[in-house]
Structures are given as C-alpha cells and as structure tokens.
C-alpha cells in the first residue's frame, strides 16, 4: 500500500507544511524575518553527485566560565558547563543561517555521555512537540538508524528516534493513551514499530530541550537548564555519569539523485520545495544536520549530602538560606584532612530551634540536636536557653528575595521584563490574596465577595503601574487568574523578616488593617486585621464558586490558583521551568468527575511568575530579582553591595547575642531583604568531643568558608562574606562552645567595621549578570586568601554608606567568574522532618510534588491524534 499517491503530491505537501508549522511548538511571529536576498537552501553543483557530509562534530571540555566553539564564521557559546547542579544555562550563537518562519532553527538538548548518539539526547524526537518523523532516506549520507517507519515506500522511508534510557531500554514521549494506534493511520501501530515504556519523568520540569531562532544578522540565544539525576533519572547525569549539551543547526541539504532514490522519492524530497520542510526542527536527527553538531561536555558537582565514611560530623539542621553554601561546604569538610566532618539537613528554622531543646536520652548530649542554622534566636523563656545556654555564631549573609520570570508582549518587542519594582503594600496585596482574577464586579462570572471590587491582577493595579509604567505591555494583563506569588505555608524566619519589612511601612500596615488605598483597592476581607509580623503564611480566602457557574463550580479559585511551595529551592525552580504550582479544573474525557490538575508550564513569550525565595536560590537558578522598596523610598535589588549597606544601622541584641537589621536606620542603598544566618550551638551540655567538633566547624565556616569561588568549600554567589566584626564574634562563640563556658558571647554594637573613607568617588558599580541580577562577587582584595582582620580595609573601590564607614565586602579573596548561573532543586539535602507537612490547607492547593503528563483533551494531543488519523500525509 502506498503511503502517499503521486497524484495527490502537491496537496499532501501543503498539508505536511501546515502540520509541521502548527506542531513545531513555536510561533512564526516569534521568528525574525528573512533578510532580503538571503537563501539558506544548500544546492549541489552536480545534482547527480551531491556532496556526502562527514561527521564534523566540535567538542568542548567542561568549564566553570563561558565556553565557545567556532566553525568557520559561526560560533556557539554556553554560559557555563562545569561543576553544574540544576541550573540555568544560556546558549548563544553567531554566524548561523537566519530563521525563516519556522525553518532553519537551532536544536538545543541535553544528552547522556561525552560522545552521545542521537538516541542519547533527552526525549530525542520530541523537540518542538513534533514526534520526530523525518524522511531520512532522501539525503546523504545513508541513514543508519534501525527505527524505520514503512521502509521501502516509494516516497521514502520515515524515521523516528526513541530515547535510550540510562538502563539501555528505549522509550518515547508519546502519550501512552494514544498507543498502540498512534500511527495507525499509516497502516501500523506504534507498538509494532517502537518499544514503548514509562514516561514518568518527562514533565515540564525536565523538558529542557529547546528550539532557538536566528535573527537576520545570524545571532540568537536561548535559555535552558541542566537536569541532574535527582530530576531526570532517565538521563542520570551525575559526577560519575557524563552528559553533554548538544546544539544542532538545522539547514537544508541536497536530495539524492533519482538514480539512487527513485523518481517518486525525489519528487517528495523537500529540498526541491519552497516550503523547506526538511529544515524544520523535526529534521534535527538527519545525519547531515547531526554531523554539524556542537557538543559541550558537562560536569556535575558531587551531591555531598553525607560524609559516608566518617562518623565525626558536626550536625546542623536549619535554614535553607544557607543551603546552597552548605552544598559547597559539606564536601570540603568530608575530606580526610578535615579535623571533623559536616552534616546539614535543611528544615524550617522554628522546628530546628525546637530540636535543640528536645531531649533524647540516646544522644551523646542528651538532646535531639546540637546545632541549628537560624536567623532568629530562641526565645528567652525556652528551655534551651535555660539549660543549654546557646550562642550564635554568624556564618552567612544573604536574604529573602522575590524572583520573577516575566515576558513583555510581542507588541512591546517581546523578551524578558528587565526590571520589576514592588513596594511593601504591593507585596501585602499579593500575600493577602487581594487580586480576585475574573471573579470581580463588571464581568460575567460570579463575584468573589472578599475582593470583588479590586483589580483582577497585579498588572491592572494602578499602584503597580505607577511604579512600573510599561506594565500594561507585559504578558498576563488579561489573565483570568489573580496574580499569585509562590509562598510556602510553613513557619519560617524568612516570613518573619518579610512581614517585618512590610509592617515597618505605614501605608502597607494601614492597608492590611483595612484602609483603602488611593485607587480604591481594599485588602481581601478574610485577611483584614491580619497580624504582622508573623512567621507563618496561610490561605484564608476559601470562597467557592456557586453551582452551575462553569468548570470552577464548587471549587475555591483562590485556593486552586495559590502556589504553595515546599522549599525556597522549589520556588526558584518554578521560575526556572515556568511551571506554576497552581491548579485548574480539568474536564473529564470519560464521564468521570472534574478534578484539579496542575497548570501547564508557561510558554516563552507568555511567562508571568513571581516567587518568594532567597538570594542564593535566585542566583543558582539564574532568575532575576525584584527591586524592593526600603525605608528611604529607594528600590533596591540584592547585591553584595546593597546587602552590605543594609548592615549599616544594624544593632546588637544584648539579651540574645545576635544583630538586628533595622529597616528604619538602613542606608538608602541597602537591600531590605538582607538577613544574617547564625549557627546556634550550646555553650553547655556538650561533651568535650562534640564541643570540639562544633567549635572547629564554626571557626572554619566563618573563615575559610567565606572565600568566594565555584569549588567545594567556597562561598557561592548570592551571599555576602562575613565582615571582620562578624568573624571576630564567630571566633568568640567557637571558643565558648569549645570550653563549654555556659556564657554566650555578646557581639559588638556594630557589624560594620569602622574605616576611613578612602575616596570621594561615587560608589563602584557592580556589573549585573546576564539574568539581570547584580549578585556577582566583586574584585578580590590583596590578602592572598587570608581573612581580613577586624577593622582592616575591605575591597578597594567599595562603596561607602557614609564618610566614615565602608561596606563590609568579602573578608577573603574572591575568585571572580564571568558568568554565575547556578541551579538545582536541593535534592541531596534530606528534609528529615516528617512533622513538617502541610496541615489544614484547603482542598485544591497545588501539591508541589505533582508531575503532570499531557492531559486528555490537551490541544496538542488533539492535534497529534488528528494528524495521526490522516492518510494523506
């Protein structure tokens, strides 16, 4: 049976082009127009003897900085390829064939191995939502793949490549609900052609294959991310399992002569067609394209969760503010040369403090835990204070941050929004679910009685528009969902710091207490009088849509739309993958009930997401930070400079031994989200062996652990290194812990060293990284790695908050890098606290662990199903 009859050739070709453009997964509008007079079709000088391509792959070794591969006048660069976790990777190129509509794109994919085959590339054929069928028999060189569809057909043999899993078996990303008849329209079922298996790890969180478009000037870029074994077991990339990032330019190639492939196949060879079908993204596996690939070897950082061969750990549980630093510190302390090892389990700070006071007769000290990482001290009336006399050694400076992944509309030129400003009242509006979405006065839907007169979302809020004048040109303006920020529903010191910042502003405080803003917006009634500061977040608006009012009937929209994260790393990952945690009802396909399903990932060009997370997690993921308003009215992003300015005005709490960030006294250049993290360790009840371990560890964390860099043991971006007075305080705490004095040291009044102003020049600027953040470490000092003593000059050229005080930058040498793009969900840091489960969340709150496979009724699935039923392909 013929797959295609010749008498239908022209009509079939048109259908083919239309289908491929529709399923390519990108809009033709997003591609730049072709430059006048250019044409990318590769023509053979002798049609009967076309050139035979040879494998000319270029390979680059892993690098902790930007790496570039060059071929002729073309070049491809990747922001970083060495020492990776789950992190953002930026791919750019020059000298490539300009994209025409959806022809001549670039395929970007993560593959297993340093010399991967096409089947080793993640989801292989699935780039661009197209199942990867390509007419591989029509071009030189001869196709070697065994995965043939209808071999020997007179119009040519189609091929489709499955992905080869780490265990050697194959699977595809095709939805199993469409099998085995997904290709039945071609005369056979997919199950008769390919072995199929589970696709449980093919989700928006692992789908890092990308299609890139090239401008008329030959340049382009695309952002993807690295998947580790923790996210993608099928690839299985680890320190010991090599992987690569592969970029394939897709161009056109001459057809084989009719004397080789026959007249009919020659007629159907797309290189002879103006439609350039063979230059679509699904043709990336064509050997002539694959042979021109750029291979960037990737290396991954060790997980370092445990020192398995050591039993002498100083064990800490606590704040995820220090989790990224701990990821670097733990492997370094596992070394045999280290006097004691380090163990860290992330947990919410209130629970960590509780474990310090919880007795355990089987533990050496008699307590459940001997070390916590916190930003707030234990309350004076708690048992731990009375019995264990804890001291607080500063170990890191970072802070809370609101990250974003937000696009401008195509009419506004597209691309990422370069800057977002939020004041205290706007953040209060987000926390209090005060944007009702479509359920407001003036629409056709029921009105949410708790917030029905308010703007539907953030972009429509006049206050937001006043701070961000071009906000109405951003995507999401007409979104039916009220703007929802990712927030964890747990007790955490970060929420306490955030709400302290909000409460310090009179207009935000008045809004939460019920005062209408000058544009007529009011707080959601269920939050009126909500007490702040507070260390816990909760969803109050449980209003449900009445019966017979559409798909949301009997559901609470504000609960479904909420984005409840389980960690700060997950919040940053939401931004990285543009995969919201919110839910929406899903229509049944078999007469079953309507149930909530996690929202689909937002497509590039339509992203509009906000997340409460930490400075280090945003740096790790490569996402941008919102500029927050400080008490002086300035809008400031987190940088090493702005965090150092925030320390100016901080005062010592003599009762507990910590420094308090003072929002009112903060320098106008200070970042209001700045937070100081402490190691809380008892100065009583520890036995000599344990006391020595913790003292040694504190001393190391506060000195060697404060040196910036990309290697194990070094301080990553997103942190400010401790100042001289802070290092002195840590040394005093270490001594009290070692000797178990029972007397916690009190810190000096000021954490900022007093130094004369070396210059009257303006503050030295900090070059932002490619993602818009300014968290890049500054230049090194001249101490050759030796920590700066208290009161010594800091980094030359550093900005000064006032004429007599310089900001405390790194107290050790800094190893600058040209690009800091980090990111991994902290899979190796076991929570270890079963009690920290969400309790009392109303039904419908998104489960952060959900991984959604394509849902029944999805438009892409329907399009594919319709395509596969056609017989005139």
């Amino acid at each position: 049976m013929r797959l295609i009859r010749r008498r239908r050739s022209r009509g079939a070709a048109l259908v083919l082009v239309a289908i491929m453009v529709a399923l390519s997964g990108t809009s033709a509008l997003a591609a730049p127009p072709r430059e006048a007079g250019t044409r990318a079709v590769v023509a053979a000088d002798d049609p009967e003897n076309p050139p035979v391509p040879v494998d000319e792959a270029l390979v680059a070794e892993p690098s902790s900085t930007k790496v570039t591969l060059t071929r002729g006048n073309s070049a491809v660069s990747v922001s970083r390829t060495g020492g990776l976790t789950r992190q953002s990777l930026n791919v750019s190129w020059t000298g490539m064939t300009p994209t025409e509509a959806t022809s001549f794109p670039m395929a970007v994919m993560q593959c297993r191995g340093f010399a991967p085959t096409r089947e080793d590339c993640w989801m292989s054929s699935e780039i661009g939502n197209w199942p990867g069928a390509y007419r591989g028999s029509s071009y030189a060189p001869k196709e070697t793949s065994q995965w043939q569809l209808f071999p020997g057909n007179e119009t040519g043999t189609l091929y489709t490549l499955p992905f080869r899993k780490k265990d050697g078996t194959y699977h595809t990303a095709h939805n199993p609900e469409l099998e085995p008849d997904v290709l039945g329209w071609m005369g056979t079922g997919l199950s008769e052609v390919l072995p199929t298996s589970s696709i449980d790890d093919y989700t928006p969180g692992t789908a890092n294959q990308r299609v890139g478009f090239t401008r008329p000037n030959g340049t382009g870029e695309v952002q993807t991310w690295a998947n580790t074994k923790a996210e993608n077991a099928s690839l299985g990339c680890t320190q010991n399992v090599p992987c690569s990032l592969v970029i394939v330019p897709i161009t056109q190639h001459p057809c084989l002569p009719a004397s080789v492939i026959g007249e009919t196949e020659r007629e159907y060879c797309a290189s002879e067609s103006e439609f350039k079908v063979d230059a679509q993204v699904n043709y990336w596996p064509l050997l002539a394209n694959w042979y021109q690939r750029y291979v960037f070897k990737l290396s991954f950082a060790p997980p370092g969760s445990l020192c398995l061969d050591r039993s002498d750990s100083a064990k800490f549980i606590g704040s995820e503010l220090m989790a990224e630093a701990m990821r670097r510190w733990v492997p370094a302390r596992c070394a045999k040369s280290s006097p004691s090892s380090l163990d860290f389990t992330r947990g919410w700070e209130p629970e960590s403090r509780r474990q310090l006071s919880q007795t355990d007769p089987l533990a050496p000290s008699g307590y459940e835990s001997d070390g916590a990482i916190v930003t707030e001290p234990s309350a004076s009336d708690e048992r731990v204070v009375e019995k264990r006399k804890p001291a607080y050694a500063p170990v890191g400076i970072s802070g809370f941050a609101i990250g974003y992944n937000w696009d401008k509309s195509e009419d506004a030129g597209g691309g990422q929004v370069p800057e977002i400003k939020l004041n205290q009242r706007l953040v209060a509006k987000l926390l209090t679910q005060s944007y009702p979405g479509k359920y407001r006065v003036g629409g056709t839907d029921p009105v949410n009685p708790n917030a029905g007169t308010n703007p539907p979302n953030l972009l429509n809020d006049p206050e937001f528009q006043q701070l961000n004048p071009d906000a109405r040109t951003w995507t999401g303006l007409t979104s039916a969902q009220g703007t929802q920020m990712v927030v964890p529903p747990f007790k955490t010191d970060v929420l306490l710091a955030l709400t302290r910042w909000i409460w310090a502003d009179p207009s935000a405080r008045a809004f939460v207490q019920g005062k209408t803003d000058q544009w007529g917006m009011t707080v959601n009634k269920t939050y009126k009088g909500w007490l702040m500061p507070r260390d816990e977040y909760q969803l109050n608006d449980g209003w449900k849509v009445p019966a017979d009012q559409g798909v949301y009937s009997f559901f609470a929209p504000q609960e479904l739309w909420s984005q409840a994260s389980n960690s700060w790393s997950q919040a940053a990952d939401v931004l990285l993958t543009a995969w919201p945690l919110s839910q929406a009802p899903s229509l049944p396909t078999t007469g079953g009930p309507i149930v909530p399903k996690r929202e689909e990932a937002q497509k590039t060009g339509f992203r509009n997401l906000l997340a409460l997370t930490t400075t280090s997690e945003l740096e790790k993921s490569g996402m941008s930070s919102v500029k927050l308003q400080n008490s002086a009215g300035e809008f400031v992003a987190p940088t090493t400079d702005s965090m150092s300015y925030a320390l100016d005005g901080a005062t010592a709490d003599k009762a507990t031994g910590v420094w308090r960030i003072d929002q009112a006294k903060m320098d106008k250049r200070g970042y209001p989200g700045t937070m100081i993290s402490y190691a809380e360790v008892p100065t009583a009840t520890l036995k000599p062996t344990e006391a020595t371990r913790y003292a040694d560890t504190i001393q190391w964390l506060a000195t060697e652990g404060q040196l910036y860099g990309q290697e194990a043991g070094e301080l990553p971006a997103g942190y400010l290194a401790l100042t001289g007075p802070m290092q002195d305080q840590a040394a005093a705490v270490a001594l009290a812990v070692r000797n178990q004095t029972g007397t916690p040291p009190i810190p000096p009044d000021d954490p900022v060293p007093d130094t004369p102003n070396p210059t009257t020049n303006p503050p030295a600027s900090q070059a932002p990284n490619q993602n818009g953040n300014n968290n890049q470490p500054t230049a090194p000092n001249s101490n050759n790695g030796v920590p700066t003593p208290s009161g010594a000059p800091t980094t030359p050229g550093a900005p000064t908050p006032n004429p007599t005080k310089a900001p405390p930058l790194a107290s050790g040498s800094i190893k600058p890098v040209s690009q800091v793009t980090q990111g991994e969900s902290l899979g190796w840091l076991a929570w270890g606290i079963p009690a920290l489960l969400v309790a009392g969340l109303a039904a419908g709150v998104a489960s952060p662990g959900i991984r959604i496979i394509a849902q029944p009724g999805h438009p892409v699935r329907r399009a594919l199903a319709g395509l596969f039923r056609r017989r005139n392909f």
Side-chain angles (χ1 to χ4, degrees):
M1 167 181 154
R2 291 185 176 181
L3 178 62
I4 308 176
R5 291 179 169 83
R6 291 185 63 184
R7 61 186 175 84
R8 295 177 132 178
S9 62
R10 301 304 176 195
L14 288 171
V15 171
L16 172 65
V17 173
I19 290 171
M20 285 188 171
V21 170
L23 296 179
S24 63
T26 53
S27 170
L29 295 176
R34 180 171 61 88
E35 214 171 31
T38 63
R39 185 166 179 80
V41 177
V42 178
D45 293 334
D46 183 357
E48 292 302 315
N49 294 284
V52 178
V54 295
D55 196 335
E56 298 179 331
L58 297 180
V59 181
E61 296 300 316
S63 171
S64 60
T65 59
K66 184 177 180 180
V67 60
T68 300
L69 287 172
T70 302
R71 177 186 287 120
N73 295 323
S74 301
V76 177
S77 300
V78 180
S79 56
R80 181 182 174 186
T81 57
L84 302 175
T85 58
R86 178 172 170 84
Q87 65 190 83
S88 173
L89 302 176
N90 290 274
V91 182
S92 59
W93 54 88
T94 61
M96 295 297 174
T97 302
T99 300
E100 300 180 22
T102 55
S103 297
F104 315 120
M106 303 281 284
V108 179
M109 61 206 110
Q110 185 175 345
C111 309
R112 185 175 50 257
F114 283 165
T117 68
R118 293 170 294 172
E119 292 91 342
D120 292 325
C121 294
W122 177 232
M123 292 331 299
S124 242
S125 57
E126 287 303 308
I127 294 180
N129 291 333
W130 171 246
Y134 61 100
R135 200 178 304 277
S137 61
S138 301
Y139 309 88
K142 182 180 179 181
E143 176 60 64
T144 60
S145 171
Q146 62 178 311
W147 309 108
Q148 301 177 356
L149 300 177
F150 310 104
N153 190 274
E154 64 177 4
T155 62
T157 300
L158 294 178
Y159 292 81
T160 183
L161 294 176
F163 171 73
R164 180 168 53 228
K165 297 166 68 174
K166 184 175 178 292
D167 61 9
T169 62
Y170 291 89
H171 75 160
T172 74
H174 299 301
N175 195 309
E177 294 183 19
L178 294 179
E179 299 167 3
D181 297 321
V182 67
L183 295 181
W185 60 276
M186 286 183 173
T188 184
L190 180 61
S191 59
E192 300 173 33
V193 181
L194 299 175
T196 59
S197 60
S198 171
I199 56 171
D200 57 343
D201 55 358
Y202 185 71
T203 73
T206 63
N208 60 353
Q209 68 272 25
R210 289 289 180 266
V211 180
F213 292 104
T214 304
R215 303 181 186 94
N217 64 1
T219 66
E221 62 279 325
V222 70
Q223 187 179 57
T224 185
W225 63 83
N227 281 322
T228 72
K229 182 182 178 180
E231 300 85 31
N232 188 333
S234 291
L235 269 173
C237 304
T238 67
Q239 183 186 20
N240 300 316
V241 178
C243 286
S244 303
L245 190 71
V246 178
I247 295 90
V248 179
I250 302 168
T251 56
Q252 280 189 301
H253 304 278
C255 303
L256 288 169
S259 59
V260 175
I261 60 177
E263 291 289 347
T264 302
E265 184 170 349
R266 174 73 184 201
E267 180 182 351
Y268 281 86
C269 184
S271 286
E272 307 303 317
S273 166
E274 62 179 296
F275 299 117
K276 304 178 184 65
V277 171
D278 63 340
Q280 299 287 321
V281 69
N282 56 292
Y283 265 70
W284 75 263
L286 189 70
L287 285 174
N289 288 324
W290 177 253
Y291 283 174
Q292 298 298 301
R293 66 195 179 279
Y294 296 79
V295 180
F296 294 84
K297 295 180 180 179
L298 305 177
S299 69
F300 288 83
S305 58
L306 297 172
C307 298
L308 297 178
D309 57 345
R310 301 191 63 165
S311 59
D312 59 348
S313 293
K315 297 182 178 180
F316 288 91
I317 180 174
S319 178
E320 197 181 347
L321 282 166
M322 296 307 299
E324 189 58 28
M326 285 290 185
R327 188 193 304 280
R328 300 278 185 83
W329 291 342
V330 168
R333 296 293 286 179
C334 284
K336 292 181 179 180
S337 60
S338 176
S340 60
S341 57
L342 172 64
D343 181 81
F344 175 71
T345 301
R346 64 179 182 174
W348 304 114
E349 300 88 349
E351 171 64 16
S352 304
R353 286 189 290 268
R354 185 199 65 79
Q355 290 197 27
L356 278 177
S357 63
Q358 186 67 39
T359 58
D360 182 354
L362 299 180
S365 65
Y367 288 86
E368 194 171 306
S369 171
D370 295 323
I373 302 296
V374 299
T375 61
E376 290 291 317
S378 296
S380 59
D381 59 350
E382 290 187 22
R383 177 177 179 177
V384 65
V385 175
E386 177 186 356
K387 299 291 186 181
R388 311 199 73 187
K389 309 295 183 183
Y392 300 89
V395 293
I397 306 167
S398 56
F400 68 79
I402 297 177
Y404 68 90
N405 189 351
W406 211 304
D407 293 323
K408 294 185 291 185
S409 66
E410 285 297 327
D411 292 341
Q416 278 270 299
V417 170
E419 177 183 277
I420 295 180
K421 295 179 179 178
L422 290 176
N423 61 22
Q424 296 89 328
R425 185 163 59 187
L426 285 169
V427 176
K429 292 176 180 180
L430 290 167
L431 286 178
T432 57
Q433 298 183 291
S434 293
Y435 296 106
K438 66 178 182 178
Y439 296 107
R440 63 184 301 271
V441 173
T444 59
D445 294 286
V447 175
N448 182 339
N450 299 319
T453 60
N454 289 341
N457 55 48
L458 188 67
L459 296 182
N460 285 277
D461 187 339
E463 183 172 18
F464 184 74
Q465 294 170 7
Q466 187 178 70
L467 297 180
N468 305 273
D470 61 342
R472 294 189 65 83
T473 67
W474 302 354
T475 60
L477 182 68
T478 60
S479 174
Q481 295 187 355
T483 307
Q484 305 290 326
M485 182 169 63
V486 178
V487 182
F490 297 96
K491 284 182 174 292
T492 166
D493 289 357
V494 173
L495 259 298
L496 186 60
L498 175 75
T499 53
R500 276 180 180 157
W501 166 67
I502 293 173
W503 206 245
D505 178 70
S507 65
R509 184 166 64 246
F511 178 82
V512 175
Q513 291 173 332
K515 184 177 180 180
T516 302
D517 73 7
Q518 52 264 54
W519 297 277
M521 184 170 175
T522 60
V523 69
N524 184 306
K525 292 178 181 179
T526 64
Y527 286 91
K528 184 177 180 180
W530 203 41
L531 294 179
M532 292 187 189
R534 61 188 306 118
D535 65 358
E536 184 177 22
Y537 182 64
Q538 62 196 47
L539 299 174
N540 287 349
D541 191 336
W543 172 77
K544 294 182 179 180
V545 176
D548 302 323
Q549 296 295 323
V551 69
Y552 277 88
S553 295
F554 302 112
F555 288 108
Q558 291 281 34
E559 291 178 354
L560 290 183
W561 293 341
S562 67
Q563 301 198 54
S565 64
N566 65 5
S567 67
W568 303 122
S569 61
Q570 187 191 39
D573 201 66
V574 166
L575 300 178
L576 178 72
T577 60
W579 191 17
L581 295 170
S582 55
Q583 294 178 299
S586 177
L587 289 173
T589 57
T590 58
I594 296 176
V595 296
K597 294 283 188 179
R598 184 171 173 179
E599 294 279 1
E600 297 175 356
Q602 296 177 356
K603 301 297 183 183
T604 300
F606 300 92
R607 297 170 296 188
N608 51 96
L609 289 165
L610 292 171
L612 177 63
T613 180
T614 66
T615 58
S616 59
E617 291 299 335
L618 283 183
E619 276 290 350
K620 183 183 68 175
S621 64
M623 294 291 104
S624 298
S625 298
V626 166
K627 289 185 175 181
L628 300 178
Q629 187 181 47
N630 60 27
S631 58
E634 300 292 327
F635 290 88
V636 183
T639 68
T640 51
D641 285 351
S642 65
M643 287 192 289
S644 68
Y645 286 132
L647 297 179
D648 189 27
T651 57
D653 184 341
K654 302 296 184 179
T656 61
V658 302
W659 281 286
R660 298 285 188 184
I661 300 292
D662 193 322
Q663 294 289 339
K665 295 180 180 180
M666 185 181 297
D667 185 279
K668 68 178 183 179
R669 291 162 290 185
Y671 175 64
T674 303
M675 300 175 68
I676 305 170
S677 293
Y678 301 88
E680 182 180 4
V681 181
T683 63
T685 70
L686 289 182
K687 294 182 178 180
T689 300
E690 283 70 32
T692 298
R693 289 176 186 169
Y694 280 97
D696 288 343
T697 300
I698 290 171
Q699 188 67 42
W700 186 91
L701 294 179
T703 53
E704 294 181 56
Q706 299 299 310
L707 307 181
Y708 287 105
Q710 300 296 313
E711 305 303 325
E714 297 176 325
L715 190 67
Y719 294 93
L720 172 67
L722 296 180
T723 67
M726 287 178 163
Q727 288 186 323
D728 292 345
Q729 174 65 6
V733 170
L735 185 62
V737 169
R738 186 185 304 275
N739 297 327
Q740 291 291 280
T741 63
T743 305
I746 301 302
D749 289 334
D750 196 341
V752 181
D754 289 323
T755 58
N757 185 6
T759 177
T760 57
N761 292 336
S765 62
Q766 219 172 4
N769 67 20
Q770 66 181 2
N771 300 300
N773 289 340
N774 295 329
N775 300 35
Q776 195 84 344
T778 53
N781 64 22
S782 58
N783 292 335
N784 297 320
V786 179
T788 305
S790 177
T794 55
T795 306
T800 54
N802 57 52
T804 61
K805 190 167 293 184
L809 296 180
S811 296
S813 65
I814 304 171
K815 300 178 182 178
V817 294
S818 62
Q819 182 59 47
V820 179
T821 52
Q822 305 172 0
E824 178 186 346
S825 60
L826 302 175
W828 66 271
L829 296 171
W831 275 91
I833 309 176
L836 291 180
L837 299 175
V838 181
L841 282 180
V845 174
S847 171
I850 295 176
R851 288 191 169 189
I852 301 300
I853 301 171
Q855 302 173 12
H858 188 282
V860 172
R861 286 187 50 190
R862 292 197 299 268
L864 283 173
L867 166 64
F868 293 148
R869 287 194 294 269
R870 297 187 63 91
R871 298 181 181 272
N872 291 336
F873 181 64

mmCIF file of all heavy atoms in Angstrom, residues 360-376:
data_model
loop_
_atom_site.group_PDB
_atom_site.id
_atom_site.type_symbol
_atom_site.label_atom_id
_atom_site.label_comp_id
_atom_site.label_asym_id
_atom_site.label_seq_id
_atom_site.Cartn_x
_atom_site.Cartn_y
_atom_site.Cartn_z
ATOM 1 N N ASP A 360 16.721 13.752 74.205
ATOM 2 C CA ASP A 360 16.846 12.434 73.584
ATOM 3 C C ASP A 360 17.870 11.652 74.398
ATOM 4 O O ASP A 360 19.079 11.887 74.289
ATOM 5 C CB ASP A 360 17.305 12.559 72.131
ATOM 6 C CG ASP A 360 17.411 11.211 71.431
ATOM 7 O OD1 ASP A 360 17.236 10.166 72.100
ATOM 8 O OD2 ASP A 360 17.693 11.199 70.215
ATOM 9 N N PRO A 361 17.417 10.724 75.221
ATOM 10 C CA PRO A 361 18.346 10.022 76.117
ATOM 11 C C PRO A 361 19.397 9.187 75.388
ATOM 12 O O PRO A 361 20.418 8.842 75.974
ATOM 13 C CB PRO A 361 17.406 9.122 76.943
ATOM 14 C CG PRO A 361 16.165 8.999 76.131
ATOM 15 C CD PRO A 361 16.029 10.280 75.390
ATOM 16 N N LEU A 362 19.167 8.879 74.110
ATOM 17 C CA LEU A 362 20.129 8.071 73.374
ATOM 18 C C LEU A 362 21.230 8.896 72.726
ATOM 19 O O LEU A 362 22.247 8.350 72.282
ATOM 20 C CB LEU A 362 19.405 7.253 72.295
ATOM 21 C CG LEU A 362 18.344 6.266 72.789
ATOM 22 C CD1 LEU A 362 17.716 5.535 71.607
ATOM 23 C CD2 LEU A 362 18.948 5.276 73.782
ATOM 24 N N ALA A 363 21.038 10.205 72.636
ATOM 25 C CA ALA A 363 22.030 11.070 72.001
ATOM 26 C C ALA A 363 23.168 11.359 72.968
ATOM 27 O O ALA A 363 22.968 11.378 74.191
ATOM 28 C CB ALA A 363 21.374 12.361 71.551
ATOM 29 N N PRO A 364 24.391 11.573 72.459
ATOM 30 C CA PRO A 364 25.539 11.834 73.344
ATOM 31 C C PRO A 364 25.315 13.001 74.296
ATOM 32 O O PRO A 364 25.727 12.958 75.455
ATOM 33 C CB PRO A 364 26.678 12.139 72.359
ATOM 34 C CG PRO A 364 26.291 11.415 71.114
ATOM 35 C CD PRO A 364 24.804 11.496 71.047
ATOM 36 N N SER A 365 24.649 14.056 73.798
ATOM 37 C CA SER A 365 24.427 15.233 74.641
ATOM 38 C C SER A 365 23.138 15.147 75.426
ATOM 39 O O SER A 365 22.897 15.971 76.323
ATOM 40 C CB SER A 365 24.394 16.485 73.782
ATOM 41 O OG SER A 365 23.269 16.454 72.904
ATOM 42 N N GLY A 366 22.299 14.154 75.092
ATOM 43 C CA GLY A 366 21.002 14.036 75.733
ATOM 44 C C GLY A 366 19.917 14.848 75.066
ATOM 45 O O GLY A 366 18.800 14.931 75.575
ATOM 46 N N TYR A 367 20.258 15.434 73.901
ATOM 47 C CA TYR A 367 19.289 16.256 73.180
ATOM 48 C C TYR A 367 19.180 15.807 71.722
ATOM 49 O O TYR A 367 20.127 15.235 71.157
ATOM 50 C CB TYR A 367 19.669 17.732 73.247
ATOM 51 C CG TYR A 367 19.457 18.348 74.614
ATOM 52 C CD1 TYR A 367 20.461 18.253 75.589
ATOM 53 C CD2 TYR A 367 18.261 18.980 74.944
ATOM 54 C CE1 TYR A 367 20.268 18.804 76.850
ATOM 55 C CE2 TYR A 367 18.070 19.532 76.201
ATOM 56 C CZ TYR A 367 19.067 19.437 77.155
ATOM 57 O OH TYR A 367 18.864 19.977 78.396
ATOM 58 N N GLU A 368 18.030 16.101 71.147
ATOM 59 C CA GLU A 368 17.742 15.660 69.785
ATOM 60 C C GLU A 368 18.689 16.281 68.763
ATOM 61 O O GLU A 368 19.028 15.661 67.753
ATOM 62 C CB GLU A 368 16.290 16.015 69.452
ATOM 63 C CG GLU A 368 15.732 15.339 68.224
ATOM 64 C CD GLU A 368 14.233 15.561 68.095
ATOM 65 O OE1 GLU A 368 13.505 15.255 69.063
ATOM 66 O OE2 GLU A 368 13.799 16.047 67.035
ATOM 67 N N SER A 369 19.123 17.504 68.996
ATOM 68 C CA SER A 369 20.012 18.189 68.073
ATOM 69 C C SER A 369 20.967 19.067 68.870
ATOM 70 O O SER A 369 20.627 19.559 69.952
ATOM 71 C CB SER A 369 19.208 19.049 67.091
ATOM 72 O OG SER A 369 20.050 19.866 66.319
ATOM 73 N N ASP A 370 22.176 19.257 68.317
ATOM 74 C CA ASP A 370 23.164 20.101 68.977
ATOM 75 C C ASP A 370 23.554 21.319 68.151
ATOM 76 O O ASP A 370 24.346 22.148 68.612
ATOM 77 C CB ASP A 370 24.432 19.290 69.285
ATOM 78 C CG ASP A 370 24.172 18.173 70.286
ATOM 79 O OD1 ASP A 370 23.378 18.384 71.218
ATOM 80 O OD2 ASP A 370 24.748 17.074 70.113
ATOM 81 N N GLY A 371 23.020 21.427 66.938
ATOM 82 C CA GLY A 371 23.361 22.564 66.102
ATOM 83 C C GLY A 371 22.220 22.949 65.193
ATOM 84 O O GLY A 371 21.630 22.089 64.532
ATOM 85 N N ALA A 372 21.889 24.226 65.130
ATOM 86 C CA ALA A 372 20.822 24.724 64.260
ATOM 87 C C ALA A 372 21.338 25.922 63.477
ATOM 88 O O ALA A 372 22.185 26.675 63.963
ATOM 89 C CB ALA A 372 19.586 25.109 65.069
ATOM 90 N N ILE A 373 20.831 26.080 62.254
ATOM 91 C CA ILE A 373 21.121 27.266 61.445
ATOM 92 C C ILE A 373 19.852 28.109 61.439
ATOM 93 O O ILE A 373 18.808 27.675 60.939
ATOM 94 C CB ILE A 373 21.537 26.899 60.018
ATOM 95 C CG1 ILE A 373 22.757 25.985 60.041
ATOM 96 C CG2 ILE A 373 21.816 28.157 59.213
ATOM 97 C CD1 ILE A 373 24.009 26.605 60.618
ATOM 98 N N VAL A 374 19.927 29.300 61.992
ATOM 99 C CA VAL A 374 18.748 30.138 62.200
ATOM 100 C C VAL A 374 19.089 31.589 61.874
ATOM 101 O O VAL A 374 20.262 31.950 61.722
ATOM 102 C CB VAL A 374 18.240 30.036 63.654
ATOM 103 C CG1 VAL A 374 17.826 28.612 63.991
ATOM 104 C CG2 VAL A 374 19.327 30.514 64.633
ATOM 105 N N THR A 375 18.074 32.411 61.793
ATOM 106 C CA THR A 375 18.290 33.860 61.734
ATOM 107 C C THR A 375 17.681 34.546 62.949
ATOM 108 O O THR A 375 18.010 35.692 63.236
ATOM 109 C CB THR A 375 17.685 34.465 60.451
ATOM 110 O OG1 THR A 375 16.282 34.237 60.431
ATOM 111 C CG2 THR A 375 18.317 33.850 59.222
ATOM 112 N N GLU A 376 16.790 33.853 63.637
ATOM 113 C CA GLU A 376 16.182 34.361 64.860
ATOM 114 C C GLU A 376 16.663 33.529 66.045
ATOM 115 O O GLU A 376 16.802 32.299 65.922
ATOM 116 C CB GLU A 376 14.655 34.283 64.780
ATOM 117 C CG GLU A 376 14.038 35.251 63.803
ATOM 118 C CD GLU A 376 14.163 36.692 64.256
ATOM 119 O OE1 GLU A 376 13.938 36.971 65.446
ATOM 120 O OE2 GLU A 376 14.489 37.547 63.414
#
